[in-house]
Amino acid sequence: MSTVRNGLPAVVTLLIVSAFGAFGADLATAAGPLAVPSALGLPYGLPGLRLVPLGETGWPFTLTENLAALVLVGAVAWVTTHRRGGAVRAFFAGWGAFVLGTLAAGLLRAVAVSQTVQAGPGAYAGLVAGALVTGLVWGVVLGWTAAIATLASADAGTTVVRA
């Protein structure tokens, strides 16, 4: 299987985090309920990959978001390139990798926010738990994109032998 086909789920995930970096704030303001986690101090969506800080967030926040986005892409890339099995297993490997990546990215973002605001143990635990829940929700909601890309890369590399 070629590197391009193996990297398709990671490329799709990279496009998603780039879109969240470019249009994530517009998405949160256009769809009101998406702003509720932000009001609680939780991430509003997937980490966004951006070149410059958004508004007055500053460079530490931007670098944390970029690192979390790269953790998500890296998780999808690693799991989907090391998968084994048929198409069904590839599909669920892609979806699971995306969910795992969103959980890891959410955890990283929660730890960074709690360190920034110098949260106490209770607030720290609440931020981590909330970030894991929002990461799980976003991973389940958008994980199908990586799953379909993984399925496409698995189907492209299989050969059918007929007797």
Side-chain angles (χ1 to χ4, degrees):
M1 203 180 289
S2 74
T3 305
V4 173
R5 284 193 305 251
N6 280 340
L8 185 61
V11 169
V12 167
T13 306
L14 184 63
L15 290 173
I16 291 171
V17 295
S18 296
F20 265 87
F23 308 112
D26 296 335
L27 178 66
T29 55
L34 290 179
V36 172
S38 295
L40 299 174
L42 301 173
Y44 68 88
L46 295 177
L49 192 61
R50 38 179 95 81
L51 298 175
V52 294
L54 179 66
E56 296 182 21
T57 55
W59 283 104
F61 178 78
T62 303
L63 294 175
T64 302
E65 286 288 302
N66 287 344
L67 181 62
L70 293 177
V71 163
L72 173 57
V73 172
V76 170
W78 191 83
V79 170
T80 56
T81 55
H82 290 88
R83 64 177 162 64
R84 301 211 190 286
V88 173
R89 289 184 74 179
F91 182 81
F92 286 112
W95 206 320
F98 196 89
V99 171
L100 180 69
T102 56
L103 289 173
L107 183 63
L108 176 66
R109 294 164 85 189
V111 168
V113 166
S114 64
Q115 292 298 317
T116 302
V117 299
Q118 297 177 351
Y124 179 77
L127 285 170
V128 168
L132 289 175
V133 168
T134 56
L136 179 66
V137 168
W138 280 101
V140 169
V141 168
L142 291 177
W144 61 271
T145 56
I148 289 175
T150 306
L151 185 63
S153 67
D155 286 344
T158 58
T159 56
V160 178
V161 178
R162 296 182 187 205

